Amino acid sequence: MFKIGWQVYRERLPELVDQRARRRVVHVGVLVAGIVFVGLLLVGLLLGGATPFAAWVVVAVLGAAGSGCVGAAFTPIGPKGWAVPPVPGIGWRTQEAVARYYRRNPPPVAPEHRDAVLRRMPESRDLIVRSAFRAFLLLGSWVGIILGTAVLDVTLAVGDDTAILFPGVWVVYLFVSGGTGVLGIRTLGRQEQLRVEAEALPPVPPAPPARGRPGTPNGSKLSLPGE
């Protein structure tokens, strides 16, 4: 499933994030990284001998790389307000049935759910691809920031200085970003499997129209005495 999802991600990403958008992402990331790198070097010079300058350069590089990924992740890459509109005409029972198809050990797609499974699938697929792209950039940002903090902590500990407390919440953000990207890839794989399975089913014929003329009450047309 992850292999299929990764293939879908690689096929759709160049079309959703075109060359112009990729250049914008790279330019914003490099600009943010450069500003952070210079700022961290100035901070290292102001600290004096608290940390060896070579170690501080490594910290500056890692922190700048992480910050650049943050700037790149929040760079607009799609139409303003791009989102999947709500699907009208699907009851909550059908929505629950479609949601079960995305879980582990899902049942086969029922013929009556064919259209509900296929409806808005391209739009939701592209939304997942964009979200996974941002999640992977955020994952790289937290990796750089955490590694930079770890290098600084080790350097200060070796120098018998007070180490900076390692924020555990950063690790939580790391797992959240990575999990969002991995789950997005898995959903893409399952969605592609559902698309193939649903398209193999015959279309469901439309329901027959209700008998009787529009606007007339249903039931017996016999009249009682006195009516």
Side-chain angles (χ1 to χ4, degrees), residues 1 12 63 82 96-97 100 123 153 159 161-162 171 183 188 207:
M1 190 176 301
R12 293 296 302 161
W82 191 92
E96 288 290 332
R100 285 197 296 269
E123 290 89 345
D153 283 346
D161 291 319
T162 303
V171 180
L183 290 178
L188 287 175

Side-chain angles (χ1 to χ4, degrees), residues 130-144:
R130 294 174 189 266
S131 300
F133 177 72
R134 288 194 173 99
F136 290 142
L137 287 175
L138 289 176
L139 176 62
S141 69
W142 289 115
V143 169

